[in-house]
Amino acid sequence: MRVRTRFSGISAGTELAAYRGTNPYLTRRWDPEQRLFRNGADTLAYPLTGWGYSEVGEVTEVAPDIADDPATPQVGTLVWGIWGHRSEAVLPAGKLAGHEVPAGLDPLAATFARVGAVALTAVHAADLHLGETVAVFGQGVIGLLATRLAVLSGATVIAVDAIDARLQQAAAFGAHHALDARTGDVGEQVKALTGGLGADTAIEISGAYPALHEAIRTVAPAGRVVAAGFYQGEATALRLGEEFHHNRVEIVTAQIGGVRPGMWLRWDQDRLNRTFLRLAAAGQIDPAALITHTVPVAQAPDIYRLLDDRPADALQTILEF
């Protein structure tokens, strides 16, 4: 089927890694069979094609042999999916089966299906329990979504960031405490808020190594840290001989390529996407509140420069076709 794009969301973390040249796929080769990065030819090269993974569009044409299939979205239907920052795409119908934008949901909100799934993956990896405290480091788009999802999971949420507007949005999303990372020792502040125990879990989603180190410092002995950011370069800010070693902290990763062990027979990426959109359609989370810029696709160079030079001035940015 052919889909005409209406909106395409920019995933600032992943895309800026390519924009800045720090993405490991640009300098090393990923071996999918051995699941190792190897020296040698790079996996990606400039110019990148098909970049982007947060699209909403309108079905404009359906192949005749599947037009009567009830699982096939019909012409005129708004659908969400992944086909990159492009004005239109021809896709296998199976990739869009069941991907209709939920009734009553703003199509702009549907562009968050993928990033919402990333946030949900991180919250699942945290294995939160009712009554526990979680510190969420990084209140960009995915961090704010993770904050809201953790609140919905029944956790007491401590949001951490260094940008005032993002901390205010975290409070609006239900965070019980919002800590400015610039004002002092976050680890000590979290200990004070938890009666000296520390957070049961921390989710680090900024992709900054100093934040990952501070997340380790905030959790209680035998606590869990979910490393959900897209980390670049060498981890020079980590001092693993300190709290990590002495408090026996567990570090796990969360990545959209797979769900938490123990969930894979029941959950897949499509279920993550659908769950997030269902929560948005039900009004339990308002992703569209995070949109700061919606611009014509011709202004994409300006938006990437903004995200690169002045990241504090933007949250979610959307290209409109």
Side-chain angles (χ1 to χ4, degrees):
M1 60 178 55
R2 187 185 305 274
V3 182
R4 183 175 65 234
T5 309
R6 289 186 56 181
F7 304 108
S8 186
I10 295 176
S11 177
T14 300
E15 296 187 40
L16 283 184
Y19 183 88
R20 293 167 173 160
T22 59
N23 189 314
Y25 286 92
L26 290 166
T27 56
R28 306 190 74 196
R29 180 174 59 85
W30 172 246
D31 183 337
E33 294 185 359
Q34 294 291 317
R35 300 196 65 81
L36 291 171
F37 279 98
R38 300 184 182 278
N39 294 325
D42 45 11
T43 307
L44 298 177
Y46 294 112
L48 299 175
T49 58
W51 210 241
Y53 56 74
S54 302
E55 285 70 55
V56 168
E58 179 183 351
V59 177
T60 58
E61 189 176 359
V62 177
D65 60 318
I66 58 166
D68 296 329
D69 185 338
T72 299
Q74 299 302 301
V75 170
T77 302
L78 287 180
V79 293
W80 55 269
I82 299 173
W83 56 86
H85 299 312
R86 58 185 70 192
S87 58
E88 70 169 12
V90 177
L91 303 168
K95 292 182 70 71
L96 294 178
H99 281 215
E100 295 87 351
V101 173
L105 183 64
D106 183 342
L108 280 168
T111 63
F112 288 79
R114 183 70 164 179
V115 291
V118 173
L120 184 54
T121 299
V123 171
H124 281 173
D127 194 23
L128 302 179
H129 301 93
L130 186 65
E132 290 191 329
T133 298
V134 58
V136 182
F137 284 76
Q139 296 296 305
V141 173
I142 298 177
L144 284 164
L145 296 177
T147 288
R148 180 60 186 160
L149 292 169
V151 169
L152 293 176
S153 299
T156 297
V157 179
I158 302 172
V160 184
D161 204 281
I163 298 174
D164 292 335
R166 296 184 181 186
L167 292 172
Q168 293 168 10
Q169 184 61 58
F173 267 16
H176 300 79
H177 307 280
L179 300 183
D180 188 336
R182 300 166 296 182
T183 61
D185 189 314
V186 173
E188 291 186 0
Q189 294 181 67
V190 171
K191 294 277 182 159
L193 289 171
T194 56
L197 176 65
D200 297 282
T201 306
I203 298 172
E204 202 302 297
I205 212 157
S206 72
Y209 288 115
L212 179 58
H213 182 74
E214 198 62 25
I216 293 169
R217 298 184 71 245
T218 66
V219 296
R224 170 177 288 193
V225 174
V226 177
F230 188 16
Y231 303 95
Q232 309 293 308
E234 296 183 0
T236 56
L238 287 178
R239 300 188 299 276
L240 297 181
E242 298 182 5
E243 291 84 5
F244 170 73
H245 179 72
H246 288 79
N247 292 333
R248 301 175 200 173
V249 174
E250 177 187 28
I251 302 179
V252 301
T253 187
Q255 204 267 348
I256 192 60
V259 298
R260 181 172 68 86
M263 298 177 65
W264 66 272
L265 287 175
R266 297 176 288 117
W267 284 82
D268 57 16
Q269 292 183 27
D270 207 45
R271 184 178 179 185
L272 291 166
N273 295 331
R274 293 170 188 267
T275 297
F276 181 81
L277 291 181
R278 185 170 64 248
L279 292 169
Q284 293 183 280
I285 189 167
D286 181 14
L290 306 183
I291 298 173
T292 55
H293 298 76
T294 302
V295 302
V297 68
Q299 294 180 21
D302 297 329
I303 283 294
Y304 281 101
R305 280 192 288 268
L306 170 68
L307 292 170
D308 187 32
D309 297 337
R310 305 193 311 278
D313 293 349
L315 272 171
Q316 182 62 52
T317 56
I318 303 287
L319 302 176
E320 184 172 8
F321 290 78

